[in-house]
Amino acid sequence: MSLATILDRWRRGLFGSWLNGAVTLLTLAFLAAVLPPLLRWLVLDATWAGSAADCRAASGACWAFVVAKLNFILYAFYPPAFHWRPALAVALLLGLLAVTAWPRLWGRWLVLPWLAVPAASWWLMSGNGLGTPVPSNQWGGLPVTLLVAIVCFALALPLAVLLALGRQSRMGGLRTLSVAFIEFMRATPMVAILYVAMLILPMMIPGGQLVDKLARAMILVTLFWSAYVAEVIRGGLQAIPRGQYEAAAALGLGYWRSAALVILPQALRLVIPGLVNLAIGFFLATSLLAVIGIFDLLNAAKTAAVDPNWLGFYEESYLVAATLYFVVCIVGSRYSLWLEHRLSRSRRS
């Protein structure tokens, strides 16, 4: 593509009509009013090193606070001497996502790393067998956010498949139970689900046994997310032509073999981009764990700013957390667009 073609496309996009031109000019005026003071606050007047007193004497951002509290924002109350454990857990979880993201590597063998990596991450965080155990109430920050998002979504997916099949079933009782579960979960706020995990679930466990708070939250979050994933998968099932069901029946395949070998592979392939978008939303929703006292990334960022030695630097703390959320989400959204284009191209070919 030549430079002239690129410039002409930009011209038509920005000033191709009077409405486009007006929006472009208003956007430029807004950026001209906002960017200079923002740049001064972020860079020119910022304090890059020193104490809290130095930051309060300046008018810009206090990046010295970020340098001092970055480990707390990332790992919360996890003992500093063992920060290598959550760092390694984050590396394993991100590596699992990177391997899974490449379509050429998709296959049944991925089930093994999806079982092993979360289990290894939990083992690393707990420290059992590594010398000094660390209870889950000291976990926090980015490792907890990733662990909850990845484990809950991975557990919700097979449950969602069963719910979607149940909602499509001809068995009235099974269909009614599936519909009731899905609609109840979708009609209940996630905050209420978390409070159930915190307050109600312990009273339902016989013998008064104490279940880890993080584990309780992950169980209920998995059930909650499975209802949303089930509806996405049901959309894929409804998109499969009726002739595919009839062809499977003509081959003599029973219901479960037909679903496993013919219907579900096609349906899941259709909804993979939608599942990626849903996973991004679920990743952002992990910030609600703060309401039950779990120190996810956002809650750790908020707590870092109430340190008496660095009191009040909420903007910088939240900016770090927002940047981490933004990086994960923009990478996920671009991947979703790339994957949708790749899958649609493979279907056309």
Side-chain angles (χ1 to χ4, degrees), residues 132-303:
T132 304
V134 179
S136 63
N137 58 7
Q138 292 183 260
W139 302 4
L142 185 60
V144 167
T145 295
L146 285 176
L147 189 64
V148 171
I150 290 174
V151 171
C152 290
F153 190 80
L155 294 177
L157 188 58
L159 180 57
V161 170
L162 295 178
L163 288 170
L165 291 175
R167 189 159 188 168
Q168 296 285 97
S169 174
R170 296 179 181 179
M171 300 174 60
L174 179 61
R175 184 173 63 252
T176 300
L177 289 175
S178 300
V179 170
F181 178 86
I182 291 172
E183 296 303 328
F184 174 78
M185 284 295 180
R186 295 182 69 204
T188 305
M190 185 172 168
V191 173
I193 295 294
L194 292 173
Y195 278 127
V196 169
M198 186 69 179
L199 303 174
I200 307 300
L201 190 60
M203 294 188 293
M204 300 171 59
I205 298 175
Q209 298 178 0
L210 183 62
V211 178
D212 183 86
K213 179 173 66 174
L214 182 59
R216 296 200 306 266
M218 291 173 69
I219 292 171
L220 269 295
V221 168
T222 297
L223 296 176
F224 180 80
W225 287 358
S226 66
Y228 287 84
V229 179
E231 287 298 275
V232 175
I233 295 175
R234 184 169 70 94
L237 292 174
Q238 291 178 332
I240 302 300
R242 190 65 196 170
Q244 296 293 314
Y245 293 87
E246 295 171 353
L251 291 173
L253 299 178
Y255 175 79
W256 290 109
R257 293 187 66 192
S258 172
L261 300 177
V262 179
I263 305 304
L264 278 177
Q266 298 181 69
L268 291 176
R269 189 179 183 87
L270 289 174
V271 300
I272 283 175
L275 291 176
V276 174
N277 286 329
L278 199 61
I280 294 171
F282 289 162
F283 174 76
L284 295 175
T286 57
S287 60
L288 293 175
L289 293 171
V291 302
I292 59 171
I294 293 177
F295 283 86
D296 68 303
L297 177 61
L298 185 63
N299 200 15
K302 182 183 75 172
T303 307

Side-chain angles (χ1 to χ4, degrees), residues 73-150:
I73 295 174
L74 292 178
Y75 307 122
F77 295 103
Y78 206 92
F82 306 114
H83 276 176
W84 64 271
R85 297 178 186 172
L88 183 56
V90 169
L92 288 173
L93 293 171
L94 292 179
L96 176 64
L97 294 179
V99 170
T100 308
W102 192 245
R104 290 188 178 183
L105 299 178
W106 291 351
R108 295 180 180 179
W109 72 273
L110 276 175
V111 174
L112 181 59
W114 271 93
L115 293 173
V117 170
S121 300
W122 188 283
W123 172 72
L124 279 170
M125 296 283 289
S126 65
N128 292 323
L130 295 176
T132 304
V134 179
S136 63
N137 58 7
Q138 292 183 260
W139 302 4
L142 185 60
V144 167
T145 295
L146 285 176
L147 189 64
V148 171
I150 290 174

Side-chain angles (χ1 to χ4, degrees), residues 10-76:
W10 275 88
R11 182 191 61 78
R12 286 186 284 108
L14 297 176
F15 299 99
S17 66
W18 69 268
L19 182 59
N20 282 0
V23 171
T24 299
L25 292 176
L26 287 174
T27 302
L28 291 175
F30 173 78
L31 293 177
V34 170
L35 286 182
L38 183 61
L39 182 63
R40 285 196 301 271
W41 185 81
L42 285 173
V43 180
L44 301 179
D45 297 334
T47 302
W48 298 91
S51 63
D54 298 325
C55 290
R56 294 189 178 95
S59 58
C62 181
W63 300 122
F65 160 80
V66 175
V67 173
K69 302 300 293 184
L70 182 61
N71 280 339
F72 185 89
I73 295 174
L74 292 178
Y75 307 122

